[in-house]
Amino acid sequence: MFKTFKGKLLNPHAEYPSTHIETGLYFYLGSIVNLNEDQEVHFKYIQAATRTGQIWEVEHICRESNFYNPEKVKNFLKEAKLSDQLPLIIVCGSTLFMISCFTYTRMVSPSLLRYMFNESTP
């Protein structure tokens, strides 16, 4: 993986900032996520979309997909501390995590509680 050039250690990943790698991963997974039922693919797509700032796409995949692990996505979105907590509310509203989501959202941003009740009701 690492090569030497005139006695110096070279890292091939150093040429590309991590944002470029995440963007590439986001576009690659975006092309296959709708054709795939693998939970890990859906989770990685949610991660890549979050890290590239595509919050609307995170909302979309959380709302439309049935193939992600809700517990894993909930924990990731909590750690991500998004300015817009709507994807987390969508995940919690569609599963049985409503109480933990309510507690977390109340601590982080009380103004988002109105979305929680609107999103969770059918």
Side-chain angles (χ1 to χ4, degrees):
M1 186 62 76
F2 294 99
K3 299 178 182 179
T4 58
F5 178 73
K6 294 185 180 179
K8 294 184 179 182
L9 198 60
L10 301 177
N11 182 353
H13 298 292
E15 298 175 30
Y16 304 104
S18 64
T19 55
H20 293 306
I21 294 170
E22 288 293 336
T23 303
L25 185 61
Y26 166 73
F27 284 115
Y28 169 71
L29 291 173
S31 68
I32 65 169
V33 74
N34 292 326
L35 306 171
N36 201 310
E37 296 181 1
D38 185 14
Q39 287 185 353
E40 196 62 29
V41 170
H42 285 252
F43 178 69
K44 292 294 184 184
Y45 181 66
I46 290 170
Q47 280 184 322
T50 302
R51 292 178 181 153
T52 56
Q54 306 294 331
I55 304 306
W56 56 271
E57 190 58 34
V58 177
E59 289 176 24
H60 173 75
I61 199 74
C62 288
R63 188 182 318 265
E64 301 297 324
S65 175
N66 295 324
F67 302 110
Y68 61 85
N69 180 343
E71 178 76 28
K72 197 172 180 181
V73 171
K74 177 190 74 141
N75 292 336
F76 170 73
L77 292 173
K78 278 182 166 181
E79 291 173 11
K81 296 187 176 143
L82 302 173
S83 59
D84 182 5
Q85 295 288 322
L86 192 54
L88 176 63
I89 292 168
I90 291 168
V91 170
C92 292
S94 64
T95 59
L96 301 173
F97 303 123
M98 201 61 173
I99 292 174
S100 67
C101 186
F102 175 78
T103 307
Y104 175 78
T105 306
R106 192 183 66 176
M107 291 183 333
V108 174
S109 179
S111 65
L112 290 174
L113 289 176
R114 61 188 163 97
Y115 291 113
M116 179 178 278
F117 294 108
N118 289 338
E119 285 297 321
S120 63
T121 56

